[in-house]
Amino acid sequence: MVTSGADTPRQVTQVRAQLHETFDGVIDDSDIAHFGGGNYEQRFLSRALAALAVRIMAKCGVAEAARFVTDGIADQGLDAIAPLPESGQALLVQAKWSDRGTATFDVDAAKAMVDGLNRIENELYDQFNQRASTLAEEARPFLVNGRAILVIALMGTVEPSPPALEVLNNALREFNSHGARLSIKLLRAADFHGQIHADLRPEPIDLDVRLDDWYQQAGPLEAYQGTVSAESVAEWYETHGTGLFEQNLRAPLGPTVTNAEIGQTLTSDPTRFWHLNNGITMICDALKAEHESARAPRSRPTTLKVTGASIVNGAQTVRAVARAMHDDGETAAHATLSIKVINTHEDRKFGVQVSQAANRQNAIEQRDHIALEPVHQAIKANLRAELHKQYVIKRGEPVPAPETGCSLDELALALACLHPDAEQTARAASSMENLWEQGSQGSHTLLFKREPSPQKVWRSVLTLRAARSAVYELGSGQNSREAATAEHGGFLVTHLIFQHLGATSIDDPDFDWDSEVLEQIPALVPELVRRLTHQIVTRYGPRSQIRAAFQSAKNCRELAEQVLGDLADGVAVPAPQAKERKQRRPNTAPLLVDRRVIKDGAPLRYVGQNEPERDALEAWLAEDERRRQATWVNHRTKPILWAYDQQQYSPSGLVSKMWADAGWDDRPVANQGTVRWFQLDGLSLWDLAKRIYSEEDEAEDDA
């Protein structure tokens, strides 16, 4: 990842976080453990930076790099000494850490480094500390008969000073007078930043792909097509999991009706699976074919040694095959499927083209194409490096627990609410699909034109969550129009929170976001809902459709401007009389099916609603994460397809079964299943039903 000098403070934050994660408890700090606070921190970071420099130069592991650190009393200007027999060289490292990314290498540092070099040359090992003495003695043979590199490791961006370079060049001339033995390597902030991101990237996947009935595609690109066993495919998934789909538009979507049918075919009629399935497409960075016959290679199977493999079409098939092999391996092992393997020679752009083209025949959404945009890969890497949070991009990937990260969907909503133009909330209120539109005025382009900082990402998501929670807590205690405002205007409410409390300070590390924004939300939301309702009635009349008001860009802009102005000026708003709402007992599942508010295959997650329920089920659920997971099927009586057994249930029926299977002896006789199954956007089935009834209440009020 290439970054500019202007990004250095951000580099510092991320490198510091990763140095701690990588080297805490690994680097020997026994001699500095008595230091407190910043005194310890600066010493530790200097040592860790030296170790990271060794990792970069030697391409070695963390523990080995830490072993070479000598920083401390009597290190003689060398913070790490790394004898490397395999490469026939030694690394002599001096590291300079700076919290502001402004570390420099001056003439005194250069003299200290050359002095340490001379002590090694003159075998003055007793003048080093104990650790450095041993390493210096091991390094001297490379200095004399091999190669030595002076490594200057700076958490900064500038070149060493001219006087420092003069000292170093004098040493080079002296040591290289009888052959090139000594050289200099400068590592700066961008080098360390690049290394920590490289460490966070997944390792390339190497596979042996054994093909039957194969042929090699003619043409400029190396490609093979053939038949592979279901058993081999299942082994790939068991070993590498969703890493197999790194360059796919989406991850396996989990339990869907289609995927359930794939699994049923594998276990009931495996010999016909090849005929009924489209197979898989794999791209790779490199491959080598190992044939079993020299004279007639196509008469025998061949094995492709594949490097950097990624399955870009057929993720659902691979997941279903692995599931079937787990459930009934003896039967499913008879199945085969077709496979196409394309060598892209590390051409990432072409790999994206293959992935997009291979998926055009399936129900691919615009959001899936967005997942491959470089900005989201950058957000993922930087959020992980700086805040240790996950960022789930692809549809089908498991959504992280709220405290550990967020999804692309959640971040897009948060940034839409944060955007200074309230039109973005109107687009989101109309349809989430609007947020994936590209082009000069497309929402995705406007929201992600510049990569948001990790701090901005996380603060905006936390604010969205807090606002939604506060809106939900309003419940049905409001009059019907205020309830409708809370139901349909949540995005505009969140926009007002950002603009009123702290949008301009979201990137300021010194701004106390928790106390100045998050803690103010519960009290502010009811006030905003009341003001919005008053403005809608005042501006558009008592018979106005509240939902439609929040889907209009013009209305949202006008409402936001007026409410924010009134708040700033302290304008009071009269409180309307509360109106008792009708009590309903909605039959939720058929209602949601009739209105088609949830797409087939939409993922759902079980959430216990009280402490006894959670205590009784948590251990049982944790044994197999599939027990929490399901997908929606637009079926009037059994709309829940449970991931655990691939069977369909009613919401309450499945909850009752789960309670019984978990052995909850004190379980209630009945339950409201619709409040326990949640979509990825945080809304339960009951929340969706309430939204529909709110619209009907509003229509009755206008009649």
Side-chain angles (χ1 to χ4, degrees):
M1 178 176 296
V2 178
T3 52
S4 67
D7 294 322
T8 304
R10 183 165 159 192
Q11 291 173 346
V12 172
T13 300
Q14 295 183 12
V15 172
R16 178 196 287 111
Q18 202 60 28
L19 288 178
H20 276 293
E21 182 166 324
T22 304
F23 293 109
D24 275 348
V26 180
I27 286 178
D28 183 4
D29 65 350
S30 57
D31 61 320
I32 60 172
H34 63 283
F35 288 104
N39 289 329
Y40 171 86
E41 178 77 354
Q42 295 301 308
R43 288 170 170 80
F44 172 82
L45 290 172
S46 175
R47 296 183 181 193
L49 194 70
L52 185 57
V54 172
R55 284 208 64 213
I56 293 173
M57 297 296 296
K59 303 189 186 314
C60 63
V62 171
E64 185 178 5
R67 184 174 69 84
F68 296 132
V69 173
T70 62
D71 192 11
I73 297 174
D75 62 21
Q76 305 302 349
L78 300 176
D79 300 325
I81 302 174
L84 304 172
E86 292 185 4
S87 60
Q89 65 183 11
L91 306 176
L92 309 178
V93 182
Q94 186 175 126
K96 300 290 185 183
W97 174 264
S98 166
D99 287 337
R100 301 179 64 183
T102 56
T104 58
F105 189 79
D106 59 20
V107 66
D108 290 336
K111 289 178 178 179
M113 195 173 198
V114 172
D115 183 56
L117 174 67
N118 287 325
R119 290 172 194 262
I120 295 175
E121 163 69 11
N122 295 321
E123 301 181 78
L124 301 176
Y125 308 129
D126 60 339
Q127 296 181 9
F128 289 88
N129 63 44
Q130 184 176 358
R131 179 187 295 274
S133 174
T134 302
L135 293 171
E137 188 172 359
E138 293 177 14
R140 187 177 184 279
F142 302 107
L143 178 61
V144 175
N145 297 309
R147 292 181 60 240
I149 303 175
L150 299 179
V151 182
I152 303 168
L154 301 180
M155 198 60 203
T157 61
V158 300
E159 295 282 338
S161 69
L165 287 175
E166 183 178 352
V167 171
L168 295 177
N169 288 329
N170 288 340
L172 286 180
R173 282 192 292 272
E174 181 180 353
F175 276 83
N176 292 337
S177 59
H178 299 289
R181 293 180 297 158
L182 186 66
S183 60
I184 299 171
K185 177 66 177 179
L186 174 63
L187 298 175
R188 289 177 287 191
D191 298 300
F192 297 114
H193 188 250
Q195 181 62 39
I196 65 153
H197 279 277
D199 289 341
L200 292 172
R201 285 194 291 269
E203 290 291 325
I205 292 176
D206 298 339
L207 298 174
D208 287 349
V209 182
R210 181 179 171 85
L211 297 180
D212 288 298
D213 303 322
W214 63 275
Y215 71 90
Q216 184 174 3
Q217 178 67 36
L221 293 174
E222 188 177 23
Y224 290 79
Q225 188 154 357
T227 299
V228 67
S229 69
E231 189 171 10
S232 293
V233 172
E235 288 176 359
W236 300 343
Y237 187 80
E238 289 299 320
T239 302
H240 302 288
T242 57
L244 283 169
F245 317 116
E246 184 67 22
Q247 297 184 60
N248 203 328
L249 297 183
R250 63 186 181 193
L253 297 179
T256 65
V257 172
T258 300
N259 290 350
E261 290 174 352
I262 293 174
Q264 290 166 7
T265 301
L266 282 162
T267 55
S268 64
D269 199 359
T271 58
R272 294 190 181 185
F273 185 73
W274 184 93
H275 305 82
L276 299 174
N277 186 268
N278 291 332
I280 59 181
T281 299
M282 176 187 295
I283 62 175
C284 61
D285 295 332
L287 66 79
K288 179 182 179 182
E290 295 186 352
H291 304 308
E292 295 187 8
S293 171
R295 297 179 59 188
R298 288 193 54 191
S299 66
R300 303 284 299 277
T302 191
T303 298
L304 303 181
K305 298 286 188 178
V306 174
T307 301
S310 183
I311 292 174
V312 297
N313 181 248
Q316 320 311 320
T317 294
V318 172
R319 178 65 183 86
V321 166
R323 172 77 185 244
M325 286 294 300
H326 178 271
D327 293 344
D328 188 358
E330 186 173 346
T331 301
H334 295 290
T336 60
L337 58 158
S338 65
I339 184 172
K340 182 193 297 181
V341 183
I342 302 171
N343 184 1
T344 67
H345 298 283
E346 300 188 48
D347 185 341
R348 299 300 180 203
K349 185 176 180 180
F350 178 67
V352 171
Q353 290 177 324
V354 173
S355 181
Q356 292 175 335
N359 284 286
R360 282 183 183 137
Q361 70 272 25
N362 296 322
I364 295 297
E365 300 176 2
Q366 179 63 23
R367 184 227 186 276
D368 298 319
H369 292 281
I370 289 298
L372 295 180
E373 290 290 322
V375 65
H376 295 296
Q377 304 303 323
I379 292 171
K380 182 175 184 177
N382 288 319
L383 193 64
R384 172 66 180 84
E386 191 164 321
L387 300 181
H388 304 303
K389 303 295 183 185
Q390 300 177 57
Y391 180 50
V392 170
I393 304 173
K394 297 175 184 175
R395 230 171 17 113
E397 287 184 299
V399 176
E403 66 275 11
T404 65
C406 63
S407 68
L408 166 57
D409 301 73
E410 193 173 27
L411 176 58
L413 280 174
L415 294 182
C417 296
L418 174 63
H419 196 275
D421 188 346
E423 178 182 355
Q424 298 304 319
T425 68
R427 294 184 184 183
S430 297
S431 172
M432 271 290 294
E433 296 300 312
N434 291 330
L435 298 185
W436 316 130
E437 181 185 351
Q438 294 181 293
S440 61
Q441 296 303 311
S443 287
H444 181 269
T445 303
L446 294 173
L447 300 179
F448 294 98
K449 186 175 184 179
R450 294 182 179 177
E451 178 201 341
S453 69
Q455 186 164 252
K456 185 174 185 177
V457 167
W458 194 238
R459 283 178 168 181
S460 64
V461 167
L462 291 180
T463 304
L464 174 68
R465 291 174 180 172
R468 294 177 114 177
S469 177
V471 167
Y472 181 81
E473 287 297 322
L474 281 177
S476 59
Q478 311 298 306
N479 67 72
S480 59
R481 297 196 70 80
E482 287 191 2
T485 297
E487 187 72 30
H488 302 302
F491 297 149
L492 186 57
V493 168
T494 308
H495 171 80
L496 295 173
I497 290 170
F498 277 122
Q499 302 307 312
H500 182 59
L501 293 181
T504 58
S505 303
I506 196 165
D507 272 320
D508 181 358
D510 297 324
F511 186 76
D512 189 347
W513 194 263
D514 285 354
S515 63
E516 298 295 332
V517 178
L518 300 182
E519 293 175 10
Q520 308 301 319
I521 289 175
L524 181 58
V525 163
E527 174 72 7
L528 293 174
V529 167
R530 190 164 61 87
R531 287 179 177 274
L532 281 172
T533 305
H534 173 73
Q535 287 299 326
I536 289 173
V537 173
T538 301
R539 286 172 171 270
Y540 313 121
R543 293 183 177 273
S544 57
Q545 292 289 319
I546 288 181
R547 181 178 186 180
F550 293 118
Q551 294 177 341
S552 163
K554 177 177 179 293
N555 291 351
C556 283
R557 285 172 175 150
E558 291 177 349
L559 291 169
E561 182 180 2
Q562 186 65 51
V563 169
L564 290 172
D566 286 352
L567 282 171
D569 296 338
V571 176
V573 176
Q577 292 184 345
K579 178 179 177 181
E580 185 177 348
R581 298 186 62 181
K582 297 178 181 179
Q583 296 296 316
R584 298 179 181 272
R585 289 184 174 272
N587 197 347
T588 302
L591 174 68
L592 298 179
V593 171
D594 287 343
R595 298 297 182 93
R596 284 296 194 267
V597 295
I598 311 177
K599 293 181 180 179
D600 278 315
L604 300 173
R605 185 175 180 84
Y606 170 82
V607 178
Q609 293 301 292
N610 52 61
E611 188 171 347
E613 179 181 357
R614 291 190 288 269
D615 290 344
L617 267 72
E618 184 54 37
W620 179 78
L621 292 169
E623 290 175 2
D624 192 325
E625 279 298 312
R626 294 177 301 173
R627 290 170 174 167
R628 302 182 198 270
Q629 300 167 2
T631 50
W632 178 263
V633 181
N634 277 300
H635 186 284
R636 294 181 61 80
T637 58
K638 296 181 178 180
I640 307 289
L641 179 65
W642 196 21
Y644 184 66
D645 65 3
Q646 300 286 296
Q647 301 298 312
Q648 290 180 225
Y649 300 88
S650 69
S652 297
L654 178 52
V655 170
S656 294
K657 175 177 173 56
M658 292 167 66
W659 287 355
D661 290 354
W664 187 12
D665 295 333
D666 298 328
R667 62 185 181 273
V669 176
N671 71 82
Q672 188 179 357
T674 54
V675 304
R676 291 171 166 85
W677 290 103
F678 283 76
Q679 294 190 116
L680 297 184
D681 63 4
L683 296 178
S684 70
L685 301 181
W686 174 235
D687 291 332
L688 296 174
K690 287 197 299 180
R691 176 176 292 177
I692 294 171
Y693 282 107
S694 175
E695 295 170 13
E696 293 182 352
D697 285 345
E698 188 180 337
E700 288 179 9
D701 288 342
D702 292 341

